[in-house]
Amino acid sequence: MRQAVSVDRLRRLRERKDKGEWLPAIARYLWNLELARSLYPVLHAAEVVLRNHLFFGIGEAVPLAGRTTRLGCWLDATPSLLLDKEREKVEFAIIDFEREQRRREKDPSKRTRMTPGHLVAELRFGFWTKLLDGAYDDWRNPSFRIWPLMEKSMFPNCPPAERNRNHIHVRFTEIKELRNRVFHHEPILRRMDLAVYDRCVEAVEWINPDAARQLLAIDKPRVAQLLAEKEGPYLTWLRAEVANPGQANPVNLLGLPQ
């Protein structure tokens, strides 16, 4: 495990109480891996729900009259509703998509024309959270001012006291940063608890209560179990595996039927 994962990565998971033993750090590595996997549904929901909600909401609120567009949506409209960095990201996303389609020249059946839906999916989470930034609420740039007109209509389930652009931006930026740590295989176990999970679900609920209820019913119990048990079950399995290689049953660690 030290060779496969690297000593440096495992060392970040060691604690003073380990007294020089490596198995607890390996157990925390396995626990962190499973905890990260358990967060995929809520992180997926937060990203997909936000980007589709912003795309349709801004499209309905901002008329395209006087603008030209290749795809028939506000994302690639000219004059653009976006600041330079976001406009460039849209252009790069279109270029990347078209380049991928050209690679499929040998099999035309796999080629497809870009649609607004394709473009929305190509743009990363950071693009969408940036649209919540104060740069799009600047009275000095009225051409790019999406807020504050959108707050009430786009986040109707957010409590009135919290329904402001800055609060919403901070929350989704926190989710984006957690998502990046999870997807880049970074340790999250020392910063993760049920309160963090509930904040992610709450942000989804601001937009889509049904999606939030699904997360609470299906995925939260598993997250709660992992947080409560910590690395204990993994350390127990590792010790059993060291004592009798190949005899320990890792299926039980996942709480799955035997």
Side-chain angles (χ1 to χ4, degrees):
M1 282 296 293
R2 286 192 295 174
Q3 183 179 13
V5 177
S6 86
V7 171
D8 288 336
R9 182 175 288 270
L10 289 175
R11 187 175 285 120
R12 297 168 64 186
L13 299 171
R14 297 186 77 177
E15 296 180 1
R16 186 172 300 177
K17 65 182 180 180
D18 298 342
K19 298 179 180 179
E21 187 183 9
W22 282 99
L23 285 184
I26 296 173
R28 292 184 197 104
Y29 175 83
L30 296 174
W31 173 43
N32 187 79
L33 190 65
E34 189 64 21
L35 185 59
R37 184 165 70 164
S38 74
L39 296 178
Y40 269 48
V42 71
L43 296 175
H44 168 87
E47 180 173 357
V48 172
V49 167
L50 177 68
R51 74 188 188 194
N52 287 319
H53 195 62
L54 288 179
F55 173 71
F56 288 112
I58 294 173
E60 291 178 356
V62 181
L64 287 177
R67 292 181 168 90
T68 59
T69 169
R70 285 173 288 174
L71 299 178
C73 69
W74 61 270
L75 280 169
D76 72 334
T78 303
S80 181
L81 297 175
L82 302 168
L83 296 172
D84 288 345
K85 286 187 177 180
E86 284 68 57
R87 179 178 52 77
E88 289 175 0
K89 289 179 180 179
V90 169
E91 292 176 358
F92 288 145
I94 294 174
I95 291 171
D96 288 343
F97 182 88
E98 292 175 345
R99 183 184 297 121
E100 178 61 28
Q101 296 310 307
R102 286 195 294 271
R103 292 196 187 109
R104 300 177 179 180
E105 290 179 355
K106 295 182 179 179
D107 189 351
S109 65
K110 293 183 178 180
R111 278 184 277 170
T112 183
R113 296 182 62 183
M114 189 171 215
T115 65
H118 287 136
L119 180 55
V120 170
E122 288 285 328
L123 295 166
R124 298 182 179 181
F125 199 4
F127 172 89
W128 300 101
T129 57
K130 181 64 178 179
L131 296 185
L132 304 174
D133 187 84
Y136 286 94
D137 192 15
D138 189 346
W139 61 269
R140 292 167 296 185
N141 293 309
S143 298
F144 307 106
R145 199 178 189 206
I146 296 174
W147 311 97
L149 298 177
M150 307 294 291
E151 289 169 1
K152 292 183 179 180
S153 61
M154 294 196 67
F155 297 91
N157 301 305
C158 183
E162 302 175 358
R163 195 186 299 145
N164 62 79
R165 182 206 53 75
N166 184 63
H167 180 77
I168 295 168
H169 176 239
V170 168
R171 179 67 62 87
F172 277 99
T173 299
E174 290 175 354
I175 296 172
K176 182 197 70 173
E177 291 173 353
L178 175 62
R179 178 248 190 222
N180 289 344
R181 292 191 67 84
V182 166
F183 284 24
H184 294 146
H185 320 299
E186 294 295 324
I188 60 169
L189 49 87
R190 294 192 177 105
R191 62 178 64 198
M192 188 65 203
D193 56 30
L194 276 182
V196 173
Y197 182 84
D198 288 340
R199 284 171 65 82
C200 295
V201 176
E202 183 182 44
V204 174
E205 186 179 23
W206 291 344
I207 301 172
N208 192 312
D210 290 335
R213 280 193 293 272
Q214 175 182 302
L215 291 167
L216 292 174
I218 298 175
D219 298 296
K220 184 176 180 178
R222 178 59 182 153
V223 177
Q225 178 189 357
L226 286 164
L227 290 170
E229 295 179 346
K230 299 186 177 181
E231 73 268 31
Y234 301 91
L235 184 56
T236 298
W237 176 76
L238 284 167
R239 295 198 192 284
E241 180 66 17
V242 169
N244 296 289
Q247 300 303 308
N249 182 8
V251 175
N252 291 332
L253 293 174
L254 306 181
L256 300 174
Q258 296 188 43

